[in-house]
Amino acid sequence: MTLPARPELVSRLAEDFAALQDAALARMNGTGSPETEAALGHPALAEPVAIALAHAEVLVRGAVRRAELSGLPTQRLPSLRTYVRRVRRARSQAEAVCKEQHARRMAQRRAPVTAPLDLRVARAAHPQAYLRALEEELAHRGLPYDALSVPNHDRARWARERRLMHPEIPSPIRELLDCEDDSFIQALLHDAREAENPHLAHDAVVERWSRHARTALAWGRYAIAQAERAALARPLTARSAQLDALDDAYHDTAILTARAVEAKHRTADLHDRIRDLTATGVFADLITQCHEGALARFATVHLDLWDRARQLSAEHQAGCPERAAECPRCHLALAEAVAMEVPAADGLDEDDVTREIAEPDTASDRYAILDDLLPHAVVAVADAAVGDESTVCGYGWVSENGITGRGDSMASSSGEAEVVGICNAALALLDAAGTAPSSSCVTAPKPSPSSTGPLKAPTRRWPTAPLCSPRAGSS
């Protein structure tokens, strides 16, 4: 029997990050109480659970890497790696729950069908013609062509400019908005290493936070790679300080990861709210007026198309079982019939617009670039890989004249490490030909000491966002 979620337990888990994470891991291990299991299934905890498991996954990967570098007996490593896979699976399941809930909310928020069926049929039959009519209407009103479109980026700024959201921004928020990207990333690193910045969750900033969270996370991976290299440079019995620094780097990266997930969820919530704001009020009225004007222009220029759309729509609605709901799914089939019967609008050959582009012959074109190489050119290839827990990317390269090389890089991905590998291959081949530049190696970009600070033990803390606040005294 499934127990109902107790509201007070849900509230306590939402406010106590450490307790929430422990509960999520206990559920994963099958040791959670029925009451806690019921609470974790509450919709309000879906996103906090995903954040907590993202944090936990980085920590358990760090535990495996420390075990590998500290010389733990090999027979104990498989169980640790199995645990990492279980946490990763639990995190994926939690993220799937978040996506399902978001899709359900979107379906509930979906606006009812308000446009008449004949208008929807005409628009779908020849969308380019209707788009031209709408652009003419917008130009007549002195509006830009994209005035009715919600942008993909900087939606909060767009909403403020249209007075859909409060335009005033407090000065601390304005500082975060106006600073350079490097300074903003430093604020994200400080948020993870020292003290949480409550201003990041503001509607005006959260999109920028989400955009730059990945870059901040790359700095965390770089710190882990530095600690790994420092540990590997020491004898197995003299790595204690380096392994402690590795633990600290993993803790920082765990918080950066959790905060990046939180930023993603907060941004999605912001976009949902902006979408709701555009469906009502002055902006919604403007959309309606512009489409009414566009329809009048469309019907005047393309009278045959409009008459046929109206006729088919009336005939269809006479016997459609979904007539009371304005036939929400019927317009596409009717539009296809209109498009086949009525010539393309404005003399535009629709076949020219929708002409299928021939796919290239990938089998013959894949190596076509080799046909353009100079006779004396030497071909080299590179590959790279990164382990599940390590952040140091190993790479290797080989050229057709037999020269090879390998190394490792603190790149943030195997793709970047491959670029490092091919650059090293080019320099080595130039060196063999006697034309190499003064630099003898290529490395991944390094941060300056001022940008990351020394690798010292930072003040550790749990993420303390309103979604999931820490327990007092946790470390």
Side-chain angles (χ1 to χ4, degrees):
M1 182 180 70
T2 303
L3 297 176
R6 289 164 40 204
E8 68 277 8
L9 181 55
V10 173
S11 298
R12 184 174 70 83
L13 291 175
E15 295 170 358
D16 190 334
F17 183 86
L20 176 67
Q21 188 174 73
D22 291 343
L25 293 175
R27 179 175 65 175
M28 178 195 73
N29 293 325
T31 59
S33 67
E35 293 81 3
T36 303
E37 296 254 353
L40 291 175
H42 194 279
L45 290 183
E47 292 178 2
V49 166
I51 294 170
L53 289 173
H55 182 271
E57 183 190 347
V58 178
L59 292 183
V60 295
R61 287 196 290 108
V64 171
R65 190 56 179 152
R66 176 170 184 134
E68 291 173 340
L69 295 176
S70 61
L72 189 73
T74 55
Q75 60 269 25
R76 294 183 57 187
L77 286 173
S79 61
L80 289 174
R81 295 192 179 110
T82 299
Y83 188 71
V84 171
R85 289 193 292 271
R86 291 175 59 193
V87 176
R88 185 176 296 135
R89 190 182 310 116
R91 176 186 176 182
S92 297
Q93 292 170 350
E95 291 175 347
V97 170
C98 291
K99 290 180 180 178
E100 181 182 348
Q101 285 194 3
H102 184 260
R104 193 179 301 116
R105 290 196 300 268
M106 290 294 295
Q108 293 172 349
R109 283 172 163 156
R110 187 169 296 147
V113 176
T114 55
L117 179 61
D118 49 11
L119 170 58
R120 287 182 281 128
V121 170
R123 280 166 46 179
H126 291 298
Q128 294 297 328
Y130 184 82
L131 179 60
R132 282 193 294 273
L134 181 59
E135 289 176 347
E136 290 173 2
E137 178 66 20
L138 292 173
H140 175 71
R141 292 173 176 265
L143 298 174
Y145 72 95
D146 58 349
L148 306 184
S149 302
V150 180
N152 293 326
H153 302 287
D154 292 328
R155 293 189 186 181
R157 178 178 56 81
W158 176 87
R160 290 196 307 275
E161 290 174 351
R162 284 153 182 78
R163 302 285 174 170
L164 298 175
M165 301 180 71
H166 198 283
E168 297 299 326
I169 299 177
S171 56
I173 310 300
R174 175 59 63 185
E175 290 177 8
L176 283 173
L177 281 178
D178 294 343
C179 69
E180 298 291 336
D181 285 349
D182 288 346
S183 298
F184 189 84
I185 292 169
Q186 288 303 313
L188 298 187
L189 295 175
H190 187 272
D191 171 80
R193 293 174 172 174
E194 303 297 336
E196 181 182 324
N197 188 337
H199 303 307
L200 291 174
H202 192 278
D203 285 346
V205 183
V206 68
E207 288 177 296
R208 190 180 191 190
W209 178 19
S210 184
R211 285 197 305 270
H212 289 294
R214 184 174 180 179
T215 304
L217 191 55
W219 289 109
R221 287 177 52 86
Y222 184 86
I224 292 175
Q226 279 186 313
E228 283 190 54
R229 281 189 167 179
L232 290 169
R234 304 280 294 181
L236 191 61
T237 57
R239 293 179 177 176
S240 177
Q242 288 72 29
L243 293 177
D244 288 342
L246 181 66
D247 283 344
D248 293 334
Y250 267 105
H251 274 82
D252 287 345
T253 305
I255 297 174
L256 285 167
T257 301
R259 295 288 273 167
V261 175
E262 180 184 349
K264 181 183 72 172
H265 289 309
R266 288 185 178 276
T267 301
D269 177 69
L270 171 67
H271 290 174
D272 289 346
R273 286 188 282 118
I274 291 176
R275 189 178 296 108
D276 291 342
L277 292 172
T278 61
T280 58
V282 176
F283 189 78
D285 293 340
L286 176 63
I287 292 177
T288 301
Q289 294 167 11
C290 289
H291 280 292
E292 289 175 351
L295 176 59
R297 296 174 182 273
F298 178 85
T300 300
V301 176
H302 312 291
L303 184 59
D304 292 344
L305 190 156
W306 175 237
D307 286 343
R308 186 55 179 155
R310 294 176 65 186
Q311 179 185 355
L312 282 182
S313 298
E315 294 173 355
H316 170 82
Q317 284 189 309
C320 180
E322 295 186 283
R323 179 177 54 187
E326 294 291 342
C327 303
R329 291 170 292 274
C330 304
H331 62 283
L332 295 179
L334 295 174
E336 185 176 355
V338 172
M340 293 177 63
E341 295 178 14
V342 183
D346 276 359
L348 181 67
D349 187 352
E350 203 72 17
D351 291 336
D352 290 339
V353 176
T354 60
R355 183 179 293 115
E356 192 173 306
I357 299 175
E359 292 291 332
D361 184 0
T362 55
S364 60
D365 288 352
R366 176 174 295 179
Y367 301 107
I369 191 173
L370 300 179
D371 297 335
D372 299 328
L373 292 179
L374 298 175
H376 61 275
V378 178
V379 176
V381 296
D383 196 12
V386 59
D388 286 340
E389 280 72 52
S390 174
T391 59
V392 176
C393 294
Y395 65 84
W397 58 270
V398 60
S399 65
E400 61 179 343
N401 61 5
I403 301 178
T404 64
R406 61 186 175 88
D408 58 51
S409 167
M410 289 187 282
S412 62
S413 67
S414 60
E416 290 183 8
E418 289 176 4
V419 175
V420 173
I422 204 65
C423 289
N424 273 291
L427 290 175
L429 293 173
L430 288 172
D431 185 57
T435 57
S438 58
S439 175
S440 60
C441 66
V442 178
T443 59
K446 289 186 178 181
S448 62
S450 62
S451 64
T452 60
L455 279 176
K456 60 182 180 65
T459 302
R460 290 196 218 147
R461 57 170 190 82
W462 298 100
T464 57
L467 282 174
C468 18
S469 300
R471 179 166 50 203
S474 62
S475 61

